[in-house]
Amino acid sequence: MIGAASVVTDTEGRVLLVHHTYGERNWELPGGRGGPAESAEDTARREAREEVGVELEIERLTGVYWEPDQCMHHFVFRARALGEPRAADAAEIGECGWFAADALPRPISDLTVRRIADALAGSPPAVATIAGRTWIR
């Protein structure tokens, strides 16, 4: 199984996050699970359309994270929104907003913080195994 998410930045360098209406009710990158025969890049684009109502201009792959507990590879891209994001899926997303990397909202997972840091670092794509998630409250 694959998942894909995007670290979407604006002209001020802020990161777009969505606030989930389920589970931990956490802040997260726009993204989700891939569909049958769907590439990671197509998954990232579809999830952005569904969650925040925008098309993405994908700039580059920033990381691949293996989560053995979920049997899932998470692909993460750096991207720009083509349009103004809005919470487009009320069943999943309560709100969305732009946040400075040093002032991320809570609750948020350590994995989300890491994926943001890796994407903003400008380094070659990270490849890592995730050993569970810790919630930052």
Side-chain angles (χ1 to χ4, degrees):
M1 187 178 333
I2 69 160
S6 300
V7 177
V8 180
T9 55
D10 67 5
T11 56
E12 297 174 36
R14 298 176 301 172
V15 177
L16 177 65
L17 295 174
V18 297
H19 191 219
H20 286 161
T21 60
Y22 59 88
E24 295 285 333
R25 298 187 187 276
N26 60 303
W27 288 90
E28 180 62 88
L29 297 170
R33 290 193 173 146
E38 186 176 50
S39 71
E41 198 169 309
D42 287 343
T43 298
R45 285 190 171 101
R46 176 182 51 76
E47 288 288 339
R49 278 192 305 275
E50 291 175 1
E51 293 184 353
V52 293
V54 296
E55 295 296 326
L56 292 182
E57 179 181 311
I58 293 181
E59 297 171 349
R60 66 184 191 89
L61 176 70
T62 62
V64 179
Y65 307 86
W66 167 242
E67 188 171 17
D69 292 349
Q70 300 293 319
C71 293
M72 181 184 283
H73 279 96
H74 299 267
F75 290 78
V76 181
F77 300 93
R78 179 92 182 251
R80 289 185 319 121
L82 303 177
E84 189 57 38
R86 59 180 170 65
D89 180 358
E92 284 189 40
I93 308 301
E95 61 182 307
C96 65
W98 297 100
F99 300 91
D102 61 355
L104 298 173
R106 305 291 193 261
I108 194 167
S109 75
D110 59 338
L111 173 60
T112 300
V113 173
R114 179 178 179 177
R115 292 180 297 168
I116 291 168
D118 288 348
L120 298 179
S123 303
V127 178
T129 298
I130 303 161
R133 296 179 197 206
T134 300
W135 295 101
I136 303 166
R137 300 196 187 274

PDB file of all heavy atoms in Angstrom, residues 5-21:
ATOM      1  N   ALA A   5       1.573  12.523   0.370  1.00  0.00           N
ATOM      2  CA  ALA A   5       1.222  13.804   0.965  1.00  0.00           C
ATOM      3  C   ALA A   5       2.100  14.874   0.348  1.00  0.00           C
ATOM      4  O   ALA A   5       3.133  14.574  -0.255  1.00  0.00           O
ATOM      5  CB  ALA A   5       1.416  13.760   2.482  1.00  0.00           C
ATOM      6  N   SER A   6       1.693  16.115   0.538  1.00  0.00           N
ATOM      7  CA  SER A   6       2.442  17.228  -0.036  1.00  0.00           C
ATOM      8  C   SER A   6       2.730  18.291   1.005  1.00  0.00           C
ATOM      9  O   SER A   6       1.837  18.674   1.768  1.00  0.00           O
ATOM     10  CB  SER A   6       1.653  17.863  -1.181  1.00  0.00           C
ATOM     11  OG  SER A   6       1.411  16.911  -2.190  1.00  0.00           O
ATOM     12  N   VAL A   7       3.966  18.754   1.011  1.00  0.00           N
ATOM     13  CA  VAL A   7       4.349  19.921   1.793  1.00  0.00           C
ATOM     14  C   VAL A   7       4.165  21.093   0.833  1.00  0.00           C
ATOM     15  O   VAL A   7       5.017  21.365  -0.008  1.00  0.00           O
ATOM     16  CB  VAL A   7       5.795  19.814   2.323  1.00  0.00           C
ATOM     17  CG1 VAL A   7       6.192  21.084   3.061  1.00  0.00           C
ATOM     18  CG2 VAL A   7       5.930  18.592   3.229  1.00  0.00           C
ATOM     19  N   VAL A   8       3.002  21.727   0.953  1.00  0.00           N
ATOM     20  CA  VAL A   8       2.624  22.836   0.072  1.00  0.00           C
ATOM     21  C   VAL A   8       3.040  24.123   0.775  1.00  0.00           C
ATOM     22  O   VAL A   8       2.673  24.348   1.927  1.00  0.00           O
ATOM     23  CB  VAL A   8       1.101  22.829  -0.186  1.00  0.00           C
ATOM     24  CG1 VAL A   8       0.706  23.986  -1.098  1.00  0.00           C
ATOM     25  CG2 VAL A   8       0.661  21.490  -0.770  1.00  0.00           C
ATOM     26  N   THR A   9       3.815  24.940   0.076  1.00  0.00           N
ATOM     27  CA  THR A   9       4.273  26.202   0.662  1.00  0.00           C
ATOM     28  C   THR A   9       3.734  27.388  -0.134  1.00  0.00           C
ATOM     29  O   THR A   9       3.455  27.282  -1.326  1.00  0.00           O
ATOM     30  CB  THR A   9       5.810  26.268   0.717  1.00  0.00           C
ATOM     31  OG1 THR A   9       6.336  26.044  -0.596  1.00  0.00           O
ATOM     32  CG2 THR A   9       6.375  25.217   1.671  1.00  0.00           C
ATOM     33  N   ASP A  10       3.599  28.517   0.567  1.00  0.00           N
ATOM     34  CA  ASP A  10       3.166  29.746  -0.092  1.00  0.00           C
ATOM     35  C   ASP A  10       4.379  30.654  -0.322  1.00  0.00           C
ATOM     36  O   ASP A  10       5.513  30.275  -0.027  1.00  0.00           O
ATOM     37  CB  ASP A  10       2.042  30.440   0.694  1.00  0.00           C
ATOM     38  CG  ASP A  10       2.469  30.985   2.049  1.00  0.00           C
ATOM     39  OD1 ASP A  10       3.673  30.930   2.393  1.00  0.00           O
ATOM     40  OD2 ASP A  10       1.593  31.487   2.777  1.00  0.00           O
ATOM     41  N   THR A  11       4.137  31.847  -0.812  1.00  0.00           N
ATOM     42  CA  THR A  11       5.239  32.759  -1.138  1.00  0.00           C
ATOM     43  C   THR A  11       5.995  33.233   0.096  1.00  0.00           C
ATOM     44  O   THR A  11       7.123  33.694  -0.006  1.00  0.00           O
ATOM     45  CB  THR A  11       4.726  33.991  -1.918  1.00  0.00           C
ATOM     46  OG1 THR A  11       3.708  34.631  -1.136  1.00  0.00           O
ATOM     47  CG2 THR A  11       4.163  33.582  -3.267  1.00  0.00           C
ATOM     48  N   GLU A  12       5.377  33.098   1.276  1.00  0.00           N
ATOM     49  CA  GLU A  12       6.037  33.484   2.529  1.00  0.00           C
ATOM     50  C   GLU A  12       6.764  32.309   3.186  1.00  0.00           C
ATOM     51  O   GLU A  12       7.313  32.458   4.276  1.00  0.00           O
ATOM     52  CB  GLU A  12       5.005  34.064   3.499  1.00  0.00           C
ATOM     53  CG  GLU A  12       4.363  35.334   2.977  1.00  0.00           C
ATOM     54  CD  GLU A  12       3.236  35.811   3.881  1.00  0.00           C
ATOM     55  OE1 GLU A  12       3.346  35.663   5.112  1.00  0.00           O
ATOM     56  OE2 GLU A  12       2.250  36.327   3.344  1.00  0.00           O
ATOM     57  N   GLY A  13       6.727  31.131   2.527  1.00  0.00           N
ATOM     58  CA  GLY A  13       7.391  29.953   3.080  1.00  0.00           C
ATOM     59  C   GLY A  13       6.574  29.202   4.113  1.00  0.00           C
ATOM     60  O   GLY A  13       7.068  28.268   4.734  1.00  0.00           O
ATOM     61  N   ARG A  14       5.304  29.595   4.304  1.00  0.00           N
ATOM     62  CA  ARG A  14       4.445  28.883   5.248  1.00  0.00           C
ATOM     63  C   ARG A  14       3.953  27.574   4.636  1.00  0.00           C
ATOM     64  O   ARG A  14       3.902  27.429   3.411  1.00  0.00           O
ATOM     65  CB  ARG A  14       3.255  29.747   5.643  1.00  0.00           C
ATOM     66  CG  ARG A  14       3.651  31.028   6.354  1.00  0.00           C
ATOM     67  CD  ARG A  14       2.467  31.898   6.642  1.00  0.00           C
ATOM     68  NE  ARG A  14       1.780  32.236   5.385  1.00  0.00           N
ATOM     69  CZ  ARG A  14       0.622  32.869   5.313  1.00  0.00           C
ATOM     70  NH1 ARG A  14      -0.011  33.242   6.418  1.00  0.00           N
ATOM     71  NH2 ARG A  14       0.068  33.137   4.145  1.00  0.00           N
ATOM     72  N   VAL A  15       3.586  26.633   5.497  1.00  0.00           N
ATOM     73  CA  VAL A  15       3.158  25.293   5.090  1.00  0.00           C
ATOM     74  C   VAL A  15       1.644  25.169   5.260  1.00  0.00           C
ATOM     75  O   VAL A  15       1.087  25.599   6.272  1.00  0.00           O
ATOM     76  CB  VAL A  15       3.870  24.227   5.949  1.00  0.00           C
ATOM     77  CG1 VAL A  15       3.389  22.824   5.606  1.00  0.00           C
ATOM     78  CG2 VAL A  15       5.381  24.329   5.787  1.00  0.00           C
ATOM     79  N   LEU A  16       1.004  24.569   4.265  1.00  0.00           N
ATOM     80  CA  LEU A  16      -0.435  24.321   4.313  1.00  0.00           C
ATOM     81  C   LEU A  16      -0.704  23.046   5.105  1.00  0.00           C
ATOM     82  O   LEU A  16      -0.156  21.988   4.800  1.00  0.00           O
ATOM     83  CB  LEU A  16      -0.994  24.172   2.890  1.00  0.00           C
ATOM     84  CG  LEU A  16      -2.476  23.844   2.779  1.00  0.00           C
ATOM     85  CD1 LEU A  16      -3.333  24.981   3.324  1.00  0.00           C
ATOM     86  CD2 LEU A  16      -2.843  23.532   1.337  1.00  0.00           C
ATOM     87  N   LEU A  17      -1.561  23.151   6.122  1.00  0.00           N
ATOM     88  CA  LEU A  17      -1.969  21.990   6.908  1.00  0.00           C
ATOM     89  C   LEU A  17      -3.482  21.906   6.950  1.00  0.00           C
ATOM     90  O   LEU A  17      -4.179  22.923   6.834  1.00  0.00           O
ATOM     91  CB  LEU A  17      -1.429  22.086   8.337  1.00  0.00           C
ATOM     92  CG  LEU A  17       0.091  22.045   8.482  1.00  0.00           C
ATOM     93  CD1 LEU A  17       0.487  22.287   9.935  1.00  0.00           C
ATOM     94  CD2 LEU A  17       0.651  20.722   7.987  1.00  0.00           C
ATOM     95  N   VAL A  18      -3.976  20.672   7.118  1.00  0.00           N
ATOM     96  CA  VAL A  18      -5.408  20.433   7.264  1.00  0.00           C
ATOM     97  C   VAL A  18      -5.663  19.909   8.672  1.00  0.00           C
ATOM     98  O   VAL A  18      -4.820  19.229   9.262  1.00  0.00           O
ATOM     99  CB  VAL A  18      -5.938  19.438   6.200  1.00  0.00           C
ATOM    100  CG1 VAL A  18      -5.769  20.013   4.802  1.00  0.00           C
ATOM    101  CG2 VAL A  18      -5.271  18.082   6.310  1.00  0.00           C
ATOM    102  N   HIS A  19      -6.831  20.248   9.222  1.00  0.00           N
ATOM    103  CA  HIS A  19      -7.219  19.801  10.561  1.00  0.00           C
ATOM    104  C   HIS A  19      -8.268  18.710  10.407  1.00  0.00           C
ATOM    105  O   HIS A  19      -9.378  18.971   9.926  1.00  0.00           O
ATOM    106  CB  HIS A  19      -7.773  20.979  11.364  1.00  0.00           C
ATOM    107  CG  HIS A  19      -7.942  20.683  12.806  1.00  0.00           C
ATOM    108  ND1 HIS A  19      -9.012  21.135  13.531  1.00  0.00           N
ATOM    109  CD2 HIS A  19      -7.174  19.974  13.675  1.00  0.00           C
ATOM    110  CE1 HIS A  19      -8.904  20.732  14.771  1.00  0.00           C
ATOM    111  NE2 HIS A  19      -7.797  20.026  14.889  1.00  0.00           N
ATOM    112  N   HIS A  20      -7.909  17.487  10.807  1.00  0.00           N
ATOM    113  CA  HIS A  20      -8.813  16.352  10.658  1.00  0.00           C
ATOM    114  C   HIS A  20     -10.004  16.447  11.614  1.00  0.00           C
ATOM    115  O   HIS A  20      -9.884  16.950  12.726  1.00  0.00           O
ATOM    116  CB  HIS A  20      -8.072  15.041  10.927  1.00  0.00           C
ATOM    117  CG  HIS A  20      -7.153  14.648   9.822  1.00  0.00           C
ATOM    118  ND1 HIS A  20      -6.135  13.757   9.994  1.00  0.00           N
ATOM    119  CD2 HIS A  20      -7.092  15.017   8.522  1.00  0.00           C
ATOM    120  CE1 HIS A  20      -5.489  13.584   8.856  1.00  0.00           C
ATOM    121  NE2 HIS A  20      -6.048  14.345   7.945  1.00  0.00           N
ATOM    122  N   THR A  21     -11.131  15.912  11.171  1.00  0.00           N
ATOM    123  CA  THR A  21     -12.343  15.878  11.991  1.00  0.00           C
ATOM    124  C   THR A  21     -12.528  14.520  12.657  1.00  0.00           C
ATOM    125  O   THR A  21     -13.556  14.265  13.270  1.00  0.00           O
ATOM    126  CB  THR A  21     -13.583  16.173  11.130  1.00  0.00           C
ATOM    127  OG1 THR A  21     -13.659  15.173  10.094  1.00  0.00           O
ATOM    128  CG2 THR A  21     -13.526  17.555  10.508  1.00  0.00           C
TER     129      THR A  21
END
